[in-house]
Amino acid sequence: MSDTRAQRKNSDQIVSSSTTTLQNTTPTQTLSNDDDPYRHDDLNNKQSDEDNDILLVDWDGPDDPQNPKNWSKNRKWAATLIVSSFTFVSPISSAMMAPSSEVIAREFHVTNSVITAMMTSMFVLGYAFGPLFLGPLSEIYGRTRVLQLSNLWYAAWNLGCGFAQDEKQLIVFRLMAGLGGSAPLSIGGGLLGDLWRPEERGQALALYSLAPILGPSLGPLAGAWVTERTTWRWVFWSTTIFDALIQILGLFFLQETFAPVVLERKAVRIRQGMDPEKSGHKEVRTVFDSADRHWQNILKKALFRPWGFFIYEPIIQLLGIYIAFVYGLLYLYLTTIPGIFEGVYQQSTGIAGLHYLAFGIGLTGASQLNARLMDRAYIYYTKKNGGQGRPEYRLLGMIPGTWILPIGLFISGWTARADIHWIVPDIGMAFVAAGMILNYQCIQTYVIDAFTLHAASALAATGFLRALCAFGFPLFAPTMYRVLGFGWGDTILAIFGIVVGCPAPYIFWKYGQRIRNASKYAA
């Protein structure tokens, strides 16, 4: 059996038979060189006649249609669009009430600016804590089940926000809705990793990564007009209706993708149709079954694993801090845009909300360009590297992204003046948005490629930092801009972005493989 285990560790091919028999051994899950955590070798599958106590369930060869990586393109894209839609509607809710926060504050007689900001940003505080237990649960019960139930939780509390009678109720309801709304942000990346092979997943991840940033930029645009034409309560009711439509589509088009859960269902069907006395097998289990697959071990390890990423992983420490800054900057901008265009340029709430389109243009344009180049660059450098792919090939878009972002901050900050046309700050905001999405997409994809098997936990680690910044930045933004002005305030943010962000892609391009080789969790 030692020879078999050695071959399991070194092989890069998929098991060619669906069942293998072993006696008194615990199968181990290994990673292959092509970054697929669910592949096993096809060597030494045939065991001796006496090793027949355990029926080991695996894929029916490399082309098994039950393997999510072998699904048709239409089926894969349907699942990708559904999970991206879930990931889009939740961030819309996080920022859609920003333009109406002052209206709500007047109705609830709130005079404290921090409490007013908390009514908006409390939602994303749920993003910090939700993934810490939703990610582990998805490894026990499957991606789809946890995603759908979490979405129902979000919809119920988001609907309740529309019936809140005071600021305390609204803050609590927003926090609870954010916990459920965090599921797509932590589980979605793992789901796409289940579906797409490394050389294919660039475009899918580009679409998925666009949603968490495009949602907050378009949400306030819609929220401004909803608040001006109806009532702020429809901000919550309308997003709940939209979410319900996506939930219905998910019931039909979103199927389970997590390999251990898919194979476990296959094993259950075999157990139900098998006669133990005639088959000679005492036990049926999957290639993933071991002591580590017990729910208590999964929950315990996965709950503590994100903290291990914080402590031991330089990849998460540097890129996680930078992406947290980027995401916090997004919410800071979203809460200060009304102050610029309603305060400096004296525009109405609805007209001021139109300037969020500058964000949307920057996000969409840069995202589409990056989506087309990401897979091509990955394939090009993989071929150049003798067919060996590396997660670092995903970071090329960060090189322009880390410079475009501070340039946009300088432009938008120093031109937000009544004597300069409003189109100039809009151009700066478009640059900021382009830099945000380039960095966000590259880092998300890099983390998924580097920590494929533990992608949910790695994303939970980065998501925790991200959510804390998204919650905290809007709280100090009004004071910062009131004391420093938009020019100096954005200059401080730009300098931090240059110092932390600009060296990152060069460091990981040169030393990334060495860092991952020393990692406990990286593939």
Side-chain angles (χ1 to χ4, degrees), residues 260-320:
V261 174
V262 175
L263 287 177
E264 178 56 35
R265 293 176 181 176
K266 182 178 179 180
V268 169
R269 292 193 297 269
I270 293 174
R271 292 187 195 105
Q272 292 174 345
M274 185 179 70
D275 187 341
E277 295 182 359
K278 294 181 180 180
S279 67
H281 299 299
K282 297 179 181 178
E283 184 180 354
V284 177
R285 66 188 186 198
T286 74
V287 291
F288 295 103
D289 282 337
S290 66
D292 289 341
R293 276 295 299 163
H294 192 276
W295 72 268
Q296 291 177 328
N297 291 328
I298 291 175
L299 197 59
K300 180 174 66 175
K301 288 185 177 181
L303 283 174
F304 289 103
R305 190 181 294 129
W307 306 108
F309 278 105
F310 287 133
I311 297 170
Y312 299 113
E313 296 294 338
I315 294 172
I316 300 300
Q317 290 165 1
L318 180 57
L319 295 183

Side-chain angles (χ1 to χ4, degrees), residues 145-176:
R145 186 177 300 173
V146 175
L147 189 62
Q148 302 256 28
L149 291 175
S150 298
N151 187 64
L152 286 175
W153 174 277
Y154 151 76
W157 288 103
N158 189 64
L159 180 65
C161 288
F163 295 97
Q165 299 303 308
D166 57 45
E167 73 278 9
K168 298 182 184 66
Q169 290 183 10
L170 184 59
I171 288 173
V172 173
F173 292 172
R174 291 276 287 170
L175 175 62
M176 301 302 287

Side-chain angles (χ1 to χ4, degrees), residues 65-119:
Q66 294 185 67
N67 186 342
K69 284 188 168 60
N70 293 326
W71 288 359
S72 68
K73 286 292 179 67
N74 289 339
R75 192 176 176 188
K76 288 183 180 182
W77 275 111
T80 300
L81 289 171
I82 292 296
V83 74
S84 298
S85 298
F86 279 133
T87 314
F88 177 69
V89 68
S90 172
I92 276 185
S93 298
S94 69
M96 192 170 174
M97 68 162 285
S100 57
S101 59
E102 294 297 332
V103 176
I104 299 172
R106 287 195 297 270
E107 182 172 326
F108 291 158
H109 308 292
V110 176
T111 57
N112 190 319
S113 61
V114 174
I115 298 298
T116 302
M118 282 182 65
M119 290 190 295

Side-chain angles (χ1 to χ4, degrees), residues 470-522:
F471 169 73
F473 273 39
L475 301 183
F476 70 76
T479 302
M480 181 184 73
Y481 285 123
R482 185 172 62 250
V483 173
L484 300 176
F486 293 110
W488 283 111
D490 282 358
T491 297
I492 292 174
L493 297 172
I495 291 172
F496 182 87
I498 292 172
V499 172
V500 177
C502 291
Y506 302 100
I507 291 172
F508 283 101
W509 186 269
K510 186 172 182 179
Y511 301 108
Q513 187 167 4
R514 187 185 306 175
I515 295 172
R516 287 185 292 105
N517 288 340
S519 170
K520 180 180 179 180
Y521 301 109

